[in-house]
Amino acid sequence: MSHFCITLDVDWAPDFVIDHVSEMLLSTGVKATWMVTHDSPAIDRLRSFPDLFELGIHPNFGAGSSHGTTVPEILDSCLRMVPGARVMRTHSLHQSSPILDLVTQLTPVVVDLSLFLPHHANLHPVIARTGPGRHLTRLPYRWEDDHEMLEPNPDWSLNWLEQASGLCILDFHPIHIALNSCSLEPYAELKRRVGGRLQDAQPHHLDGLITQGGGAATAFRRAMSMPAHSHVADIMAAIEGAA
């Protein structure tokens, strides 16, 4: 396997969930790249471990975004949370050629992780020209926890990792790890309990919702057990070194 990378879309998870997932990573010394959606004390704590935790942005370009109403405003809002961010994945994979061009014009972002190709083997970096003299390196990713929930026969063992080659970037959501989600129903019920504001959730709101058996946490522990992990920055350094 050329490059194995755990990424996490924070998606407005409450602090106790972010802390729970970060402690799992810290206890095993595993690197991860976090896509940040909001400021919080838990996000600040992630910054204390730069050798393990890389922070990128997760801009929401959809209607009603808490990040702003225009693309420049949304990008500026996200960069205030993660100054100097060089990597992003757009929320809900919302993207377009004009958006990506503005990213290259207005931000220091050089890597985009918004291309999802489920279970595709032998993925490789792609240089996307966004405008005259401008480009992004796009790193496609092949697995996501909430997509696995939609498979007819979800496989949380991730045994296929042993034979994976090329880019092997996985995407997890901290709230699904905390719930060990194997379907979207517990997440939907949690949001109902907190009136739609996930950040307001407290540990007791998860009572009775955590899946027993295979789920996102099962897959996350399996991913952490792999022998080598990269930040997105590590992948870029390897690409640049090979150029």
Side-chain angles (χ1 to χ4, degrees):
M1 176 163 43
S2 299
H3 296 291
F4 177 69
C5 184
I6 290 175
T7 65
L8 295 140
D9 293 350
V10 174
D11 278 11
W12 299 274
D15 275 11
F16 77 92
V17 165
I18 297 170
D19 286 336
H20 167 67
V21 174
S22 67
E23 286 161 8
M24 293 175 72
L25 292 162
L26 287 167
S27 69
T28 52
V30 169
K31 292 182 175 182
T33 298
W34 298 72
M35 303 301 170
V36 174
T37 51
H38 63 284
D39 276 323
S40 81
I43 296 297
D44 284 340
R45 286 189 281 275
L46 296 179
R47 303 182 209 274
S48 302
F49 305 97
D51 290 343
L52 288 183
F53 300 151
E54 173 185 42
L55 302 187
I57 59 173
H58 197 47
N60 180 8
F61 295 113
S65 171
S66 61
H67 295 154
T69 55
T70 67
V71 172
E73 183 178 324
I74 290 166
L75 292 172
D76 181 66
S77 173
C78 290
L79 286 170
R80 286 199 303 271
M81 291 184 278
V82 188
R86 290 172 57 81
V87 58
M88 78 168 189
R89 176 184 289 123
T90 63
H91 183 59
S92 299
L93 305 183
H94 187 136
Q95 58 195 286
S96 69
S97 296
I99 286 174
L100 295 180
D101 190 30
L102 283 172
V103 169
T104 59
Q105 291 184 59
L106 303 177
T107 81
V109 169
V110 294
V111 183
D112 174 64
L113 299 174
S114 306
L115 289 175
F116 180 39
L117 299 175
H119 299 289
H120 197 299
N122 298 312
L123 293 172
H124 297 281
V126 175
I127 301 299
R129 308 290 172 184
T130 63
R134 297 187 295 276
H135 72 273
L136 282 171
T137 299
R138 309 199 74 184
L139 303 181
Y141 69 106
R142 63 180 294 178
W143 189 90
E144 183 168 322
D145 52 10
D146 54 359
H147 181 271
E148 191 66 25
M149 298 173 202
L150 303 176
E151 293 283 359
N153 298 294
D155 177 9
W156 301 105
S157 71
L158 301 191
N159 285 336
W160 53 268
L161 286 174
E162 297 291 346
Q163 288 78 43
S165 60
L167 289 176
C168 189
I169 299 172
L170 313 183
D171 184 23
F172 291 90
H173 297 82
I175 193 61
H176 289 316
I177 296 170
L179 291 168
N180 192 29
S181 304
C182 65
S183 72
L184 292 172
E185 282 76 10
Y187 174 67
E189 171 60 18
L190 174 62
K191 290 187 73 176
R192 188 195 65 78
R193 292 181 182 183
V194 297
R197 276 189 53 84
L198 191 60
Q199 282 177 259
D200 293 341
Q202 299 297 319
H204 71 270
H205 289 122
L206 275 62
D207 290 351
L209 298 181
I210 298 173
T211 298
Q212 304 302 311
T218 309
F220 189 63
R221 286 190 291 269
R222 178 71 177 91
M224 288 194 301
S225 75
M226 293 300 291
H229 300 81
S230 298
H231 286 153
V232 171
D234 298 330
I235 296 174
M236 286 302 296
I239 293 170
E240 291 165 359

